Amino acid sequence: MKFRHSATALLISALTLNGCTTDLWERNSPFQQTTTEKTVAKDNIHAFGVVAKDNTQLETGSLVMMGKKYWFVVNPRDSAKLKAVLDVKLDKQFQMVQQNPSYAYKALPVELKSPEAQTFRSKFCLRYDTQKAADIAKLKQLAFKPVELDGKTVYTRCISTEGHYYATPKNVAEDRHFDTAVPVRIYYMETKTSTDVWKLTGNILKTPLALALDAVGVVIAGSYAVIGEIVDDSRK
């Protein structure tokens, strides 16, 4: 019995210790985080190439999206998936859309890990509208899925790529030109923390009382343990 009462007291102490204070600051936090997109640059991809031989910066099999200002070099694994889609023979161009295929991207989103980073990631979806059986067969081979949209069936596939980007070198051969240049928007996510001074001041003023309530909770729990031990002794 003595062990049972002591364990109960420890559990109550753990649950009550700093309980009021933590609850106060969590429910009325004076700190607010906001995340915004910061555009670094814009470009237009007009061609692509494939790295045939490793060098200090490029791996064999990497797909290079060639822009006027920058080259976007996709890692070999993601390049294989993307190149298969780019090489397919279809009558029309793909539409670049968001997760909801009703909404098109105006530019390929290229997100940097930081403003100074040369590493990027890009997430987007491709949409193709067709009723031709031959086109549908090709799309299904490339893992495009049918989606019902506005009373018709469209085909979409979402793609995620990572890689590095560099300033465009001069006098380099291009494997293939796009019929229409693809706009690119390079950006990074910026998170800022702001402080609500009124909430902060209020929490500070209330904290001594909250800490006092925490202490009372521990004292009560401690008293329960002592009483429990006295009762156990009286039964011997």
Side-chain angles (χ1 to χ4, degrees):
M1 291 295 292
K2 182 175 180 180
F3 172 77
R4 179 170 60 82
H5 286 307
S6 298
T8 303
L10 288 172
L11 177 60
I12 294 173
S13 298
L15 292 174
T16 57
L17 185 61
N18 288 332
C20 296
T21 307
T22 302
D23 185 59
L24 168 65
W25 285 84
E26 285 182 352
R27 285 188 298 104
N28 195 44
S29 175
F31 308 111
Q32 300 293 329
Q33 281 193 338
T34 55
T35 302
T36 55
E37 292 184 0
K38 297 290 184 179
T39 299
V40 175
K42 295 180 180 180
D43 200 1
N44 287 287
I45 295 173
H46 56 83
F48 70 82
V50 178
V51 178
K53 185 178 179 181
D54 282 349
N55 60 41
T56 55
Q57 290 179 304
L58 307 177
E59 293 181 79
T60 300
S62 295
L63 183 68
V64 184
M65 311 297 287
M66 300 175 176
K68 185 176 181 181
K69 300 176 184 176
Y70 304 103
W71 273 16
F72 302 90
V73 183
V74 181
N75 68 59
R77 183 191 60 198
D78 293 338
S79 291
K81 296 183 294 184
L82 188 55
K83 189 174 184 298
V85 175
L86 293 173
D87 284 345
V88 68
K89 304 298 183 183
L90 294 169
D91 296 335
K92 302 177 293 185
Q93 289 186 324
F94 290 105
Q95 299 177 57
M96 189 166 54
V97 297
Q98 302 179 28
Q99 287 280 348
N100 182 339
S102 296
Y103 300 97
Y105 275 119
K106 294 181 179 179
L108 177 69
V110 172
E111 181 184 352
L112 308 183
K113 292 185 178 180
S114 71
E116 303 81 15
Q118 280 190 290
T119 55
F120 74 86
R121 61 185 174 189
S122 182
K123 296 180 180 181
F124 57 94
C125 300
L126 296 176
R127 167 182 166 178
Y128 196 85
D129 298 11
T130 185
Q131 294 181 336
K132 294 181 178 180
D135 289 347
I136 294 172
K138 291 177 182 179
L139 293 169
K140 287 183 175 180
Q141 286 182 342
L142 293 170
F144 278 74
K145 302 296 182 184
V147 177
E148 295 301 319
L149 185 68
D150 299 329
K152 65 179 181 180
T153 303
V154 302
Y155 295 85
T156 67
R157 176 182 170 180
C158 293
I159 295 173
S160 178
T161 62
E162 295 186 355
H164 294 76
Y165 81 105
Y166 307 93
T168 297
K170 299 186 182 299
N171 301 322
V172 176
E174 300 165 351
D175 288 0
R176 175 179 164 187
H177 276 271
F178 291 127
D179 295 331
T180 304
V182 178
V184 179
R185 182 174 68 90
I186 307 169
Y187 69 96
Y188 67 95
M189 303 303 294
E190 182 179 68
T191 301
K192 289 185 177 181
T193 302
S194 59
T195 304
D196 186 321
V197 177
W198 292 107
K199 282 187 178 181
L200 179 61
T201 303
N203 285 2
I204 291 172
L205 291 174
K206 293 174 185 175
T207 296
L209 174 60
L211 288 173
L213 291 175
D214 289 341
V216 170
V218 174
V219 170
I220 292 172
S223 300
Y224 175 76
V226 173
I227 294 170
E229 290 173 5
I230 294 173
V231 170
D232 281 347
D233 290 339
S234 66
R235 292 177 179 173
K236 293 180 181 177

